[in-house]
Amino acid sequence: MAPPDADRARALREQLRAADHAYYVLDRPLLSDAEYDRLMRELVELEEAHPELRTADSPTQRVGGAPSERFGRVVHREPMLSLGNVQTDGELDELDARVHRLLGLPAEEPVRWVVEPKLDGLAVELVYQDGAFVQGSTRGDGVNGEDVTPNLRTVGRLGANRGVPERLAGAPGAPGGRVEVRGEVLLQKKHFEAMNQILLRQGEEPFANPRNAAAGSLRQLDWRVTATRPLSFIAYEALAVGPEPWKHHWQKLADLAAWGFETNEENKLCLGMGEVKAYRDRMAEHRFELPYDTDGVVVKVDDLDLRRRLGAASKFPRWAAAFKYPPQEEATRVKAIWASVGRTGILTPVVELEPVRLSGATVTRATLHNEDEMRRKDVLVGDWVLVRRAGEVIPEVVKPLPERRTGEERRFEFPGACPVCGARVVREEGEKVWRCTGSACPAQLVGKLRHFAQRRAMDVDGLGEKLCAQLVERGLVHEFADLYAIPLQTWAELERMGEKSAANIVAGLTRSKQTTLRRFLYGLGIPQVGEATAAALAGHFGDAERFLAAAEEDLAAVRDIGEETAREIRAWTAEPQNQRAVRRLLEAGVMPAPEEVSARGFFAGKTVVLTGTLARRSRDEAKAEIERRGGKVSGTVSRKTHLVVAGEEAGSKLAKARELGVRVADEEEFDRLLAEG
Ligand code: IVH
């Protein structure tokens, strides 16, 4: 049986993974940076104290966002590294001293540094072949990016800036062959605000900040949506295959501009750390006047030969670093506090603020997380508070300013009943949160439907928050299964719907019936059952009926499931109303298929194409190996292919893979991936 630490570590992993996914894939952050850091620290500490709890796929073990499966994969020829942070003058001096040491430069001879504002957008790579733009991708996890070529072609077309040129100008300057240009896709502040206004008018949710808006706009499945967003591109790096034509980074920046890219006019060549620090201080003042968000300055060694000699550690180059600004804070007034009710019935105190400009956006709301946090921070209605956007993302109340109190302020009392359905609210012993006990609470139901329909669960495209709220308000849905019974005409008559969107939803619902048990169990929103637990349950029980019938001991026998989780799951499945909800879904034609194979590892859920002659195994053997690990083997290469395994004399499929930027593995790498999975 797993000890409580194991349960906690798993819960943390799931929370952090969900937060990563929300941030990197959905571009809708779930947690504030401070909260994220707190959870991450807790997990790191737990793993340090109990190394046996550290899993290979723990969020502590990796950087950046995994590329989304929605896009084709692009393997970056050279990894897109991230930057190490320096926080103090001392650390800048250390960087300078290290470079001196490595170069054998006398201390009084200054290093040439290029300093650039750290742009708060989304890093992308553009590939030019003989001067023509052929492929563009996001950074992804640094090694595998997402293919967003058609989307990138639209960047700059609305005139926000020079964008992504189709062809490099000034052919003599542009080397033949392949050039990779790296830089940041971003939204200028004024465009961000205009765009959010439009989204609000259309009844859609506005983006939290320009970074998320840029990422969300670029990472659209339909490039025509991207084309309506006024994105900019600023170039900061060029890489050529073979001998590079540049000796200095500063020269590269000049060439990038000559080819037709926008480079940052704030970039500066500095002689020695003294000039770097002066630039940083000036920029710290001046950065809010820039048309786009920045979150620091990047310091880079100018001499490229020296860069090569300095090399890179596993995640960061040794020749560059980022100096990050502390988050900006502003004072504003709390107009109201209320409790918002989520999917699991948890009441979260939310403060409504006088609108305040903060790091380039207008903030009107912040969460206080839970009652204790609200009491700890001692925030009253009417208070002046200091707010910040941690990581310039989610608004947070830092602290109230009691010296500005007038005596008119009021405490917010947590409601004794659910503000939405009126049911009793309880705070169980040892719990930090109040929960609504209403079994038919509309707010909970809306949250549940949303969770059920999300991409990682039943994957019903278009069934968002607003639509779910309408279904509940109109009494069309009381249980998941009701979704499948709504006639097309009824869908079409809902607000902001039409024949076409209605048809799409119905088609999406029909498609969702062919699902996997793992997705199905996750979508039910059972307490403690995140994606990993759902996968473990699905692998163990194989079908929904067996899962429903499982006793607490049977549940506790599942790999990675502890006693407490088992108890909570059983409490859920024992509820006749939950049993009924599941049965009705099965009756409605939902067919959760078992995945007999592993739901973990590299091949799980991936599509692989085999081509050429493999030396160590037959095609059929290779296919069986992949399928046993949860992968699918297909005969044709498309953007949806995750991997092409190329044996000897691979032909057109290999060429196609290269053309589409699909990852290619030789047999040796295939062996390695099989061993991993
Ligand atoms: S250079 C290894 N230059 O910072 C070199 N990066 O933490 C890294 N970024 O993913 C790239 N402005 O999104 C570079 N002027 C700039 C940058 C910049 C923003 C971002 C970029 C990258 C992240 C690295």
Side-chain angles (χ1 to χ4, degrees), residues 80-85 116-124 139 183-184 236-237 264 267 295 298 300 315-317 319-320 322 324:
M80 292 179 80
L81 298 175
S82 69
L83 290 164
N85 283 344
E116 305 172 5
K118 187 166 188 309
L119 305 166
D120 202 9
L122 172 78
V124 298
R139 173 166 176 261
E184 205 85 350
Y236 50 65
E237 183 61 281
N264 202 327
N267 296 344
D295 56 353
V298 184
K300 302 175 179 176
K315 295 181 196 166
F316 314 127
W319 47 262
K324 288 237 208 157

Side-chain angles (χ1 to χ4, degrees), residues 32 42 142 167 237 265 281 383 387 390 418 432 460 465 505 543-544 598 602 613 677:
S32 70
E42 189 184 340
R167 291 204 65 83
E237 183 61 281
E265 45 185 48
D281 294 342
D383 255 344
V387 287
C418 171
K432 278 191 169 351
V460 186
E465 174 98 32
I505 296 263
D543 78 59
S598 149
F602 172 84
T613 314

Side-chain angles (χ1 to χ4, degrees), residues 155-164 188 191 231-234 262:
V155 173
R157 296 292 172 278
L158 292 175
N161 86 346
R162 288 169 149 196
V164 173
Q188 294 179 30
H191 294 140
L231 294 167
S232 299
F233 174 71
I234 297 183
E262 188 120 345

